[in-house]
Amino acid sequence: MKYLAEFSDPVLARKLVDEIHATVTKPWAMMEVCGGQTHTIVRHGIDQLLPDGVEMIHGPGCPVCVTPLEIIDKALEIAAQPDVIFCSFGDMLRVPGSGRDLFRIKSEGGDVRVVYSPLDALRLASENPDKQVVFFGIGFETTAPPNAMTVYQAKKLGIPNFSLLVSHVRVPPAIEAIMQSPVCRVQGFLAAGHVCSVMGTAEYPELADKYGVPIVVTGFEPLDILAGILRTVSQLEKGEHVVENAYRRAVRDEGNPAAKAMLADVFETTDRSWRGIGMIPQSGWKLSERYREYDAEYRFQVRDIDTQESTVCRSGEVLQGLIKPHECAAFGTLCTPRNPLGATMVSSEGACAAYYLYRRLQSPAEVVTTGG
């Protein structure tokens, strides 16, 4: 806790805020990629402490939020089947599908269980050979290695009744899709440190050069975010666009070679739909051919899913950084964490949830003075 507290020091935060103000001479718009960073920014009022005209655009970096509706509906169909134990992390249970969620499936008699690791699901499969055990594998590059390892172990140990419903997405193609949008306003990125701790930084220099945007890899504590913003605006003011690693206590430029090797063995890249955004080429992973027997979509042959998004939810525009959560008419009224219309209100990393929880209990000045 002491180590974390050091990265929330209000005196150091004020110094970084002052330095940002001294650096900035014109308006800039930058995007934090990760939803965890969004929650830090909103909780501590960081965006409201920046110079006038400097805007933080909240990106699509919440894996729960961008899991496509079709996959959610496939999960619901599989979970409702008899003799299936459907396992998931807890943050997926309230994510709305076309007409219900996993909590509803559980209340109707489905065997839906919250686990804390995909290996918990593999253990359940070993202990229940008469059941089909499915783990809902979602997330960015951070959660993909343990899910890959679990499938690898299932094959190695010969556990045939385990399968993975895969909805993994990759950050660099999403950044490219954002920059290619005709309505893009992003001039710089705060890249997600936990993603880069796995994959390294090799994919980012090409994006920085191609689109002329600085990309600063940073962490998730208030001082991490402020230091990342300072580095980004410093580059923008100088007309530079390079990749900087401001999170060296956790990120090596080469990433984690063992994790990357496991990913290369178990997964292969594929086109993937992002909820609220659409199809992004080569932005996801699927199980490779040698592990196809552990693919829940293949095993259960779920197809012809008729999806239907809420007609009043604007979470897709939130995910693209086109609007802030409170600009949606349903925010805080028709849509709340207890009765969410979209995944951005459910997830612990969703921008709508951050605005609902934290905006605003204290003035920005009080937040910095007290340390949040």
Side-chain angles (χ1 to χ4, degrees), residues 285-298:
W285 276 309
K286 65 179 180 179
L287 289 175
S288 62
E289 188 63 39
R290 56 185 168 275
Y291 294 98
R292 189 60 47 81
E293 64 194 287
Y294 295 97
D295 187 331
E297 286 191 70
Y298 175 80

Side-chain angles (χ1 to χ4, degrees), residues 258-290:
K260 291 164 69 174
M262 180 58 64
L263 290 171
D265 178 46
V266 176
F267 290 127
E268 59 187 51
T269 56
T270 185
D271 299 343
R272 180 71 72 187
S273 286
W274 294 50
R275 189 171 190 170
I277 298 175
M279 181 68 69
I280 301 178
Q282 296 300 295
S283 66
W285 276 309
K286 65 179 180 179
L287 289 175
S288 62
E289 188 63 39
R290 56 185 168 275

Side-chain angles (χ1 to χ4, degrees), residues 58-349:
H58 311 314
C62 165
V64 174
C65 302
V66 300
T67 300
L69 183 59
E70 182 181 10
I71 292 290
I72 300 293
D73 285 348
K74 287 179 178 180
L76 298 173
E77 182 173 320
I78 293 171
Q81 295 189 25
D83 299 323
V84 167
I85 300 174
F86 193 89
C87 300
S88 172
F89 294 144
D91 55 2
M92 291 302 300
L93 268 63
R94 294 192 68 87
V95 177
S98 292
R100 50 185 179 169
D101 56 27
L102 285 168
F103 268 129
R104 176 66 64 86
I105 297 294
K106 185 175 179 67
S107 71
E108 293 171 352
D111 194 348
V112 177
R113 307 191 191 186
V114 173
V115 295
Y116 298 96
S117 163
L119 290 172
D120 292 340
L122 186 62
R123 175 181 53 78
L124 284 170
S126 178
E127 294 171 352
N128 296 272
D130 58 329
K131 301 281 189 177
Q132 287 291 327
V133 177
V134 181
F135 180 73
F136 200 178
I138 71 155
F140 291 99
E141 293 91 333
T142 45
T143 55
N147 290 343
M149 173 60 77
T150 303
V151 173
Y152 174 85
Q153 289 287 359
K155 186 177 182 70
K156 180 179 179 180
L157 298 173
I159 302 177
N161 60 319
F162 173 82
S163 59
L164 186 71
L165 181 60
V166 184
S167 186
H168 279 299
V169 288
R170 302 174 56 241
V171 168
I175 290 177
E176 180 142 34
I178 289 166
M179 292 308 302
Q180 290 176 347
S181 170
V183 294
C184 177
R185 297 185 296 112
V186 180
Q187 297 166 291
F189 287 92
L190 300 185
H194 52 9
V195 169
C196 294
S197 70
V198 175
M199 302 304 295
T201 61
E203 292 183 89
Y204 294 100
E206 181 179 351
L207 293 171
D209 287 340
K210 183 175 181 180
Y211 297 104
V213 291
I215 300 176
V216 178
V217 180
T218 191
F220 308 91
E221 298 304 314
L223 296 188
D224 288 323
I225 300 295
L226 287 168
I229 292 171
L230 176 59
R231 291 196 187 205
T232 304
V233 296
S234 295
Q235 283 199 50
L236 289 168
E237 290 283 336
K238 297 173 185 176
E240 298 175 350
H241 50 268
V242 299
V243 176
E244 290 189 63
N245 182 0
Y247 197 41
R248 290 197 176 275
R249 69 181 188 274
V251 173
R252 296 180 297 177
D253 290 341
E254 68 273 20
N256 185 322
K260 291 164 69 174
M262 180 58 64
L263 290 171
D265 178 46
V266 176
F267 290 127
E268 59 187 51
T269 56
T270 185
D271 299 343
R272 180 71 72 187
S273 286
W274 294 50
R275 189 171 190 170
I277 298 175
M279 181 68 69
I280 301 178
Q282 296 300 295
S283 66
W285 276 309
K286 65 179 180 179
L287 289 175
S288 62
E289 188 63 39
R290 56 185 168 275
Y291 294 98
R292 189 60 47 81
E293 64 194 287
Y294 295 97
D295 187 331
E297 286 191 70
Y298 175 80
R299 179 171 297 187
F300 290 92
Q301 295 293 301
V302 282
R303 55 169 62 96
D304 299 326
I305 299 292
D306 183 22
T307 61
Q308 185 175 356
E309 288 277 13
S310 166
T311 57
V312 298
C313 176
R314 299 179 68 186
S315 61
E317 294 168 84
V318 173
L319 289 168
Q320 295 177 68
L322 301 179
I323 65 169
K324 296 293 193 291
H326 65 277
E327 295 177 285
C328 174
F331 175 80
T333 55
L334 297 175
C335 183
T336 67
R338 186 174 292 274
N339 295 292
L341 295 179
T344 48
M345 183 60 87
V346 180
S347 170
S348 60
E349 294 188 355

